[in-house]
Amino acid sequence: MKITAAQALVRCLELEKVDIVFGYPGGAMLPVYDALYHSSIKHVLVRHEQGAVHAADGYARATGKVGVCMATSGPGATNLVTGIANAYMDSVPLVVFTGQVPTSQVGTDAFQEVDITGITIPITKHNYLVKDPAALPQIIKNAFHIASTGRPGPVLIDLPKDVAGEMIDFYYPETVRLRGYKPTYRGHHNKIIEAAELINRSQRPVIYAGGGIINSGASEELLELAELISAPVTNTFMGLSSFPGDHPLFLGMLGLHGTRYANLAVTECDLLIALGARFDDRVTGKLAKFAPHAAVIHVDIDPAEIGKNVPVHVPIVGDVKLVLRALLPLLKKTDRSPWLDRIRELRELFPLRYSREDGLKPQYIIEELYRHTGGLATIATDVGQHQMWVAQYYRFKRPRGLISSGGLGTMGFGLPAAVGAQLGLPGQQVILVTGDGSFQMTMQELATVREQDLPIKIFMLNNQSLGMVRQLQEYYCEGRYMAVDFKFHPDFITLAGAYDIKGYTIQTEEEARQVIPEVLAEPGPVLVNCLVSPQEKVLPMVPSGCGIDETFES
């Protein structure tokens, strides 16, 4: 049966069982949007293309499926770039469609023409400029395979308008055709044996678990490993929610704003078992002082990450879930009471703490959210101090419970990502914790929240400043606060009302205790403007150029 390439695109999405596409139309994408008119796929109209890619990202993180978004050529495509880079840094599977000017005009600086494949080469796993309409189904099949296998990531397909309108004999291939792309899933048997021997001999092991645990669905295996070998577990920021936050072996997050006891445990350990983590600079601090007494086992599906930053004694390339399944039968249940006693001592000496004086504290808001949700909500965040307070004080009990920008640190990510997460998990409580700076970058997506009737609860920790930058200026610029304090602030409650969204303002603990349970019980979207002090800092904090055992405490 002959159909247009645009119709074929939509049919391919249906066969890939895509249920939601996030997008914003334009002239170059008219054929595709016309084809979507007759499709069962739900299209979510955002208010800015950046909202589309962040929403697809949030959907993918929350569900584990491939997120899909689309935009027109030129500025529509370039408005996706930050979100594509964000997904690439955090290994999120996306397939991104962009419109393009007709092939006869490519390279002529035509109206709304931009070389989006050239622009996105460094921030995609792969990208395509479609020149042959008959090749489009195979390209889409390949794109979904590339995005979701190996180390996940975004794939972009750029579709010229004339190609989209050409007729083709439709088929959807059952197999992919990719020379040279063969991710390694099963770890090397001898290396797994070597790792088991090292673990069985160690006296002070620490498990360092990253976002690879989430991507591979290895949370059960991680828990079994920790309990079997009596090893404490620390998470990277991207790894949060992969291990129960209330488990006695959990150390919390490590690194720049990690718990002091996690950082000291890594400093004192004799074996570091790195699982699906990439030894990011915000984790390691000064490399020469990171885990100085430890042998290192590193399991990762991306061979480029192993040994990139930290020397590794036992490298294992493979999917962390499959590697752990092969490793677990080789391990001995070991009594490591002296080490666990030391961990308990570190917890008692260096607990997370904050002053309850001088008004409503942001940490208190996070603790109250945890208390009322039991750690089972899906928490989306933007980027800044509020993001780190969530990491420190919300104890996640469910995998994929955190939706946040890690590697790129994208302000404005939170609201559209919460939209994607809520649409992907319609029965789940989705809470956005944001800051007044981040929120104002994409607050137009309140229209999408209202239009889609999404029951997202928004808690804005409003310190009337760019809090994290302000904190850095206090430490590194001798308190010279430049361009961080907002001299004008909108009335956020009136703003919420303009979008037909209920709003509250709270500024005391008593108001928080009263309002938070009421808000969480509301059936629709709510914005809570939490007035907190601009002087409040994220602590502990590892100073620039120092090891993770050295921290600011005040």
Side-chain angles (χ1 to χ4, degrees):
M1 181 178 68
K2 282 190 177 293
I3 58 176
T4 68
Q7 291 170 329
L9 184 157
V10 173
R11 183 67 182 131
C12 292
L13 296 184
E14 291 171 341
L15 292 171
E16 285 289 340
K17 296 182 170 53
V18 173
D19 54 353
I20 298 177
V21 170
F22 303 90
Y24 202 97
M29 284 295 275
L30 282 182
V32 175
Y33 272 82
D34 192 41
L36 274 171
Y37 184 84
H38 301 284
S39 172
S40 61
I41 296 172
K42 178 183 178 72
H43 179 272
V44 176
L45 175 63
V46 296
R47 298 307 188 261
H48 189 286
E49 291 90 354
Q50 187 169 335
V53 65
H54 287 331
D57 184 314
Y59 173 92
R61 294 185 202 233
T63 64
K65 302 176 184 178
V66 177
V68 179
C69 65
M70 55 182 59
T72 193
S73 63
T78 56
N79 281 342
L80 297 174
V81 168
T82 295
I84 294 170
N86 188 81
Y88 184 74
M89 291 284 283
D90 286 352
S91 304
V92 178
L94 299 183
V95 173
V96 179
F97 294 93
T98 52
Q100 185 54 275
V101 300
T103 50
S104 62
Q105 296 176 15
V106 170
T108 68
D109 294 329
F111 175 68
Q112 291 195 332
E113 181 198 357
V114 72
D115 179 11
I116 194 62
T117 52
I119 289 169
T120 59
I121 284 172
I123 55 169
T124 53
K125 278 190 76 175
H126 197 60
N127 65 27
Y128 298 90
L129 171 61
V130 183
K131 298 178 181 178
D132 177 4
L136 182 60
Q138 185 68 63
I139 286 172
I140 293 174
K141 183 72 175 181
N142 292 352
F144 275 86
H145 179 74
I146 293 169
S148 59
T149 56
R151 181 177 181 173
V155 178
L156 181 137
I157 299 174
D158 195 31
L159 182 63
K161 188 176 181 180
D162 60 326
V163 174
E166 291 192 34
M167 304 297 290
I168 64 171
D169 290 312
F170 178 73
Y171 78 102
Y172 197 53
E174 295 182 1
T175 59
V176 296
R177 298 179 190 169
L178 295 167
R179 293 177 61 187
Y181 179 72
K182 294 181 180 178
T184 300
Y185 287 94
R186 299 190 179 278
H188 193 285
H189 179 65
N190 290 344
K191 291 297 180 183
I192 292 173
I193 292 174
E194 192 176 340
E197 292 172 348
L198 201 54
I199 292 170
N200 288 333
R201 290 198 306 268
S202 70
Q203 299 298 311
R204 303 185 308 279
V206 168
I207 300 169
Y208 157 54
I213 298 290
I214 303 287
N215 288 338
S216 69
S219 291
E220 290 183 8
E221 288 79 6
L222 173 62
L223 178 60
E224 184 178 349
L225 172 67
E227 292 181 340
L228 176 65
I229 67 172
S230 299
V233 176
T234 184
N235 275 145
T236 66
F237 177 73
M238 292 301 301
L240 288 170
S241 82
S242 68
F243 194 81
D246 60 349
H247 196 285
L249 288 173
F250 187 52
L251 295 171
M253 184 177 70
L254 82 161
L256 176 64
H257 292 297
T259 63
R260 184 90 190 274
Y261 45 87
N263 287 351
L264 290 173
V266 168
T267 302
E268 296 181 16
C269 73
D270 66 358
L271 176 64
L272 189 65
I273 307 167
L275 304 174
R278 61 189 181 91
F279 293 93
D280 175 72
D281 57 293
R282 287 171 68 96
V283 162
T284 63
K286 187 175 182 179
L287 283 169
K289 299 194 71 176
F290 182 75
H293 312 296
V296 176
I297 298 169
H298 191 181
V299 181
D300 203 287
I301 200 162
D302 185 354
E305 291 296 345
I306 295 180
K308 184 177 79 174
N309 294 324
V310 171
V312 175
H313 299 80
V314 182
I316 304 176
V317 177
D319 179 86
V320 68
K321 185 182 184 78
L322 297 179
V323 170
L324 288 180
R325 283 182 174 177
L327 177 66
L328 284 164
L330 305 177
L331 300 176
K332 301 173 184 175
K333 188 167 182 62
T334 308
D335 179 15
R336 292 189 168 91
S337 298
W339 179 227
L340 296 184
D341 288 342
R342 174 58 177 161
I343 296 298
R344 279 189 288 271
E345 180 184 18
L346 292 173
R347 285 182 191 275
E348 292 169 4
L349 287 171
F350 306 108
L352 284 173
R353 56 180 178 263
Y354 63 95
S355 170
R356 297 275 290 274
E357 299 176 358
D358 303 322
L360 180 63
K361 295 302 175 72
Q363 300 94 324
Y364 182 80
I365 298 292
I366 306 305
E367 288 183 321
E368 282 294 286
L369 289 174
Y370 169 72
R371 187 168 72 86
H372 286 286
T373 62
L376 297 174
T378 296
I379 307 292
T381 84
D382 270 294
V383 172
Q385 288 178 312
H386 67 274
Q387 180 188 37
M388 293 297 101
W389 286 317
V390 167
Q392 292 175 335
Y393 289 93
Y394 193 90
R395 290 178 279 173
F396 295 91
K397 293 186 183 177
R398 186 178 57 78
R400 299 190 178 275
L402 176 63
I403 311 293
S404 192
S405 171
L408 196 64
T410 306
M411 292 176 68
F413 171 81
L415 181 56
V419 167
Q422 188 70 83
L423 284 163
L425 303 172
Q428 177 70 32
Q429 179 140 67
V430 174
I431 298 170
L432 168 63
V433 179
T434 185
D436 49 316
S438 288
F439 182 70
Q440 292 183 80
M441 289 194 169
T442 52
M443 63 187 181
Q444 72 276 357
E445 298 307 331
L446 288 175
T448 311
V449 172
R450 181 72 277 171
E451 190 167 84
Q452 299 296 325
D453 198 24
L454 302 177
I456 297 168
K457 308 303 184 286
I458 303 168
F459 288 83
M460 182 171 59
L461 305 186
N462 183 353
N463 57 14
Q464 302 183 50
S465 69
L466 300 175
M468 187 61 86
V469 184
R470 194 179 200 279
Q471 175 173 333
L472 295 175
Q473 288 179 345
E474 179 171 332
Y475 285 125
Y476 300 126
C477 302
E478 299 178 341
R480 294 183 293 275
Y481 302 122
M482 175 62 191
V484 290
D485 294 312
F486 294 121
K487 295 176 181 176
F488 170 79
H489 239 227
D491 181 341
F492 288 109
I493 304 307
T494 300
L495 175 73
Y499 289 98
D500 192 26
I501 292 174
K502 188 177 291 188
Y504 297 84
T505 293
I506 59 176
Q507 52 188 335
T508 67
E509 287 190 4
E510 183 179 354
E511 290 174 339
R513 287 190 294 271
Q514 177 184 340
V515 167
I516 287 175
E518 292 179 8
V519 166
L520 295 179
E522 286 275 355
V526 181
L527 170 67
V528 184
N529 180 26
C530 308
L531 299 179
V532 298
S533 168
Q535 281 76 43
E536 194 67 20
K537 294 189 282 291
V538 179
L539 296 170
M541 173 180 168
V542 176
S544 178
C546 293
I548 61 171
D549 60 329
E550 305 168 82
T551 58
F552 289 138
E553 297 290 338
S554 62

